[in-house]
Amino acid sequence: MAQENDPSRNPWKSNLPPPDLDQAIKQFFNRFKKWLPGGSPHAFFTLALIFVVGSVLWSAVYTVPSDSVAVVQRFGKYIKQVQPGLHFRYPFGIDSVQIVPVKRQLKQEFGFSTPNATDPNQSLRNIDPQRETQMVTGDLNAALVEWVVQYRISDPVKFLFEVREPSETLRYVSESVMREVVGDRTVDEVITIGRQEIESEALIKMQATSSKYAMGISIDQVQLKNINPPKPVQESFNEVNQAQQEKEKLINEARRDYNKVIPLAEGEKDQRIREADGYRLKRINEAKGDIARFNALFAAYIKAPTVTRKRIYLETMQEVMPRVSSKVILDVDSQSILPLLNLKTEEQANHE
């Protein structure tokens, strides 16, 4: 810190900030216009001066894309950040500029690689991708895990100067965190039901580690891709999965039949119970009605036995007689020896 504040080591020989580059270039152009000769004897000098000026402009002008910022260093020391657009710098290596894509979402792939990727740090080159995917789960089983980390550069200064090789460091951090998270779960959780929890936990731990190392990186998403068992046991694992799927299928079919038959039986049971209750109430009411009717007749019989007996007889005959198909009426005062009575039934008569 003492050396940084020492005026003798300051190339500008003062504690004042360095002059504005844009204004210095404008002053140079104004002076250059005064130097231009008006006659042909100075043509060679004019061409040489134009060449020098062109070289200076060629090395002094640079453009920053719209999705990036430029980090300017002067003799290796950080000076400032420059926003997108056309800018000037001190030429011939005095100022060096590094373009950092802060608004672009970058990604790193583990276990596979996208062909023709423009980012050299997106995947490993000339290395077997299965080296990253081979992991041991919490129940001591093996699994091949492929995943993608999507991130952005949040602080260009930290990204460039705080950590050496930040993109490669992020790969090591991501692989370490993913192995830790997968090692806390069973192989069934990793392959089937625990994918979302693994992604969320890995995202939190990766971001915490990146912040701890001051990498200047913001993790946006961790997404699991293909997760498979090792090739020697993959066929057996698929058979187990098929058996589990068949088991789930049979359970679902049994539940479907259960939900179809049981409610129907419950409905029939309720219907039978309601019918029995209705029949019970009907018999009880009929019995009570017969009792009331009998008591009324008995009271009337006590008051007038003869009339009541005759009325009961007539009412009974009025109810019975319509049901008789054929009727035979005999005169009790007849003096015939053998009254003619056809005893054959109607069916026998039709057969004859």
Side-chain angles (χ1 to χ4, degrees), residues 11 18 37 39 60 81 142 150 175-176 184 190 208 247 313 335:
Q81 292 185 31
Q150 296 179 352
E175 185 176 350
S176 174
D184 292 337
V190 173
K247 170 187 172 183
Y313 174 77
Q335 299 298 325

Side-chain angles (χ1 to χ4, degrees), residues 62 70-77 79-80 89-90 93-98:
Y62 65 97
V71 176
V72 181
Q73 295 173 263
R74 185 163 299 156
F75 297 112
K77 180 180 179 181
I79 299 298
K80 60 181 178 178
R89 62 184 171 184
Y90 286 105
I94 299 175
D95 284 355
S96 61
V97 176
Q98 297 190 54

Side-chain angles (χ1 to χ4, degrees), residues 132-153:
E132 296 177 324
T133 62
Q134 295 174 353
M135 298 185 185
V136 178
T137 60
D139 54 356
L140 301 181
N141 285 308
L144 302 178
V145 183
E146 298 177 359
W147 75 97
V148 174
V149 177
Q150 296 179 352
Y151 66 98
R152 298 177 187 271
I153 300 175

Side-chain angles (χ1 to χ4, degrees), residues 294-309 311-312:
F294 179 80
N295 290 334
L297 288 175
F298 182 71
Y301 180 79
I302 293 175
K303 294 179 179 179
T306 304
V307 176
T308 303
R309 187 184 305 112
R311 182 170 65 84
I312 292 173

